[in-house]
Amino acid sequence: RGLCGGLLLTLVEAQIRISFPDSLRTAFRESHGIVYGTTATFGEPYYGERVAGQLLYGESAGKAHCNEDDYSLPQPTGMENRTGKKLANIVLVRRGLCTFVTKALVAESMGAQAVIVVDKESSGLTSRDIQHIVMEDDGWGSKVKIPCMLISSADGQKLIDAAKQGLVIVELAWDIPRGEVVVADFWMSSASTEELEFLKRFKPAAEMLKFHLQFMPHYHIFSLPAGHYQSDLCVDPASRHCSPDPDGPGPITGADVVREDVRQLCIWNVTARTMELEGEGATYSQEFWEYVTRLLDKCPVKTYFGSGSFGEECSFNLMSSLGIPVDQVRSCVEERAFDFLENERRNVAWSQQALRLNGWRYSGPLDPETVLKAVCAGFSTRPKECGELLDEYSVRGIDLNAAVLTFGFVVWAFGTLACFLALIFWAVKRHTIKSVRLAVREEVMLEVQSQMAEYEPLQDGAQPGRQGRSPAIF
């Protein structure tokens, strides 16, 4: 266990268990033949599964495995594991020069089924240090369909050397602490489109799992230094309880978000019910799920329509329409707001958007299917609902990652459109200037020709008007 932002949690441990050769396993005697690393926040880890594969390494030509022309991979052996499946192609690459996502996409295009990024040769980070590093998405992570992990330079060099010499077989694992009830702590903002969209898409799974899943909502609350009070971000003069502004110059403020955070915490605490399962209690609120999955449709952040926009009036109207006891929620807000906000301010996660399962930091895309796999891997005895839900995803064959437009994609799309329009404007402007210049030149030439045509050349000793006109010669 380790401390992260003041919160005690079990860190993500991407495990590489060495199966062959024995000499390499002996090199990791202290860790019993296991190499520990950290898992990327993108890609699709095999939660609850074991994946046997062959390590493949191609020497970089100088671009740190950032494009396909930089390296080539040896031919896999095509060996099979105990169940008759071919060994997965697990590609080793070096960190540096480009993003983790770029390295993963390049390796995937070359046939990789998992990627292990080895820290820079100059890095002195240990295996324990590496587990505190977050392998972040660069905005294109939704395109990565394979798991990706980071390990220390010292550990990675041993794997690289062994892979160069011959066959290396390893087993990849992403183990989650298990319990009869899975506890899911989710940090979010009540005004975040991406996070509320995820909850909307995860709602069917939450409704089926119900009392098997202890879902706990948390909110990103921060404080400002003394003397830096900003009424548009904070709800108190002491600046203890603040939230980011969700719409920039728009009408909704960070203080509005803090107040909505409190209302959602009160909805949860007023309406949640408990049922005993196998000696452990799980709490569930159908009203909370109905409310948060409708909020941004009914009370949008980006527009201002008085009672129909993000804020207290619209919030309580929505609660009334869903049968949520408004009076109890109001009383909760008045009596417990400070305590709730203090708890959220102290109970911070490693990022504004975070998911923790049974005290374990989830790494991976925020899509329902991948999260559900991780949740179901956390049960000591997997409930039948997990099988039904996962089977349904398999039958539908839905590309869930493609269903959501991420902020990064939107920014890229607008940037591309702006560049395209600028290019068109430049081309039209250049064409217009060229056309105008050509037209002016032709007008001038015609005028000169006209003037010269009327000019009468004089012969030696001749008088004007005595001879016929001659055409002008240029």
Side-chain angles (χ1 to χ4, degrees), residues 445-460:
M445 294 296 292
L446 288 172
E447 181 64 24
V448 170
Q449 289 178 6
S450 175
Q451 294 293 330
M452 292 299 293
E454 296 177 0
Y455 171 74
E456 293 182 356
L458 295 176
Q459 302 295 331
D460 290 343

Side-chain angles (χ1 to χ4, degrees), residues 421-436:
L421 292 175
L423 182 63
I424 292 177
F425 176 79
W426 174 81
V428 170
K429 181 180 178 182
R430 183 178 180 184
H431 176 73
T432 301
I433 292 174
K434 186 176 180 180
S435 298
V436 169

Side-chain angles (χ1 to χ4, degrees), residues 85-102:
K85 292 183 179 179
K86 284 188 177 181
L87 293 176
N89 297 330
I90 303 173
V91 174
L92 291 159
V93 298
R94 275 284 183 184
R95 183 181 183 182
L97 295 186
C98 60
T99 65
F100 294 124
V101 171
T102 298

Side-chain angles (χ1 to χ4, degrees), residues 355-424:
L355 176 62
R356 190 178 66 185
L357 301 174
N358 288 349
W360 176 88
R361 190 184 77 189
Y362 169 82
S363 293
L366 196 64
D367 73 77
E369 185 176 12
T370 308
V371 171
L372 179 62
K373 287 179 180 178
V375 167
C376 290
F379 287 108
S380 298
T381 305
R382 198 168 88 162
K384 61 179 176 52
E385 288 84 355
C386 275
E388 294 171 3
L389 286 164
L390 292 172
D391 287 345
E392 184 178 350
Y393 280 124
S394 298
V395 169
R396 282 192 274 170
I398 299 173
D399 183 3
L400 295 167
N401 289 320
V404 174
L405 292 178
T406 64
F407 176 76
F409 176 81
V410 172
V411 171
W412 171 84
F414 275 106
T416 302
L417 179 60
C419 292
F420 180 71
L421 292 175
L423 182 63
I424 292 177

Side-chain angles (χ1 to χ4, degrees), residues 20-21 23-24 55 156-168:
F20 180 86
S23 58
L24 181 59
L55 291 186
Q157 190 61 55
K158 294 176 184 177
L159 298 184
I160 290 173
D161 292 342
K164 284 180 178 179
Q165 294 173 8
L167 178 64
V168 177

Side-chain angles (χ1 to χ4, degrees), residues 179-231:
E180 292 301 323
V181 171
V182 170
V183 180
D185 293 280
F186 184 54
W187 281 264
M188 61 180 181
S189 166
S190 59
S192 169
T193 301
E194 181 182 1
E195 288 144 28
L196 292 181
E197 181 66 25
F198 162 72
L199 292 181
K200 181 187 294 187
R201 297 167 65 221
F202 189 73
K203 179 171 174 275
E207 289 175 329
M208 280 195 70
L209 291 171
K210 270 195 177 123
F211 299 102
H212 293 284
L213 176 65
Q214 179 64 70
F215 178 84
M216 297 297 295
H218 299 283
Y219 298 87
H220 178 59
I221 302 295
F222 61 87
S223 60
L224 294 175
H228 290 76
Y229 173 60
Q230 295 189 34
S231 60

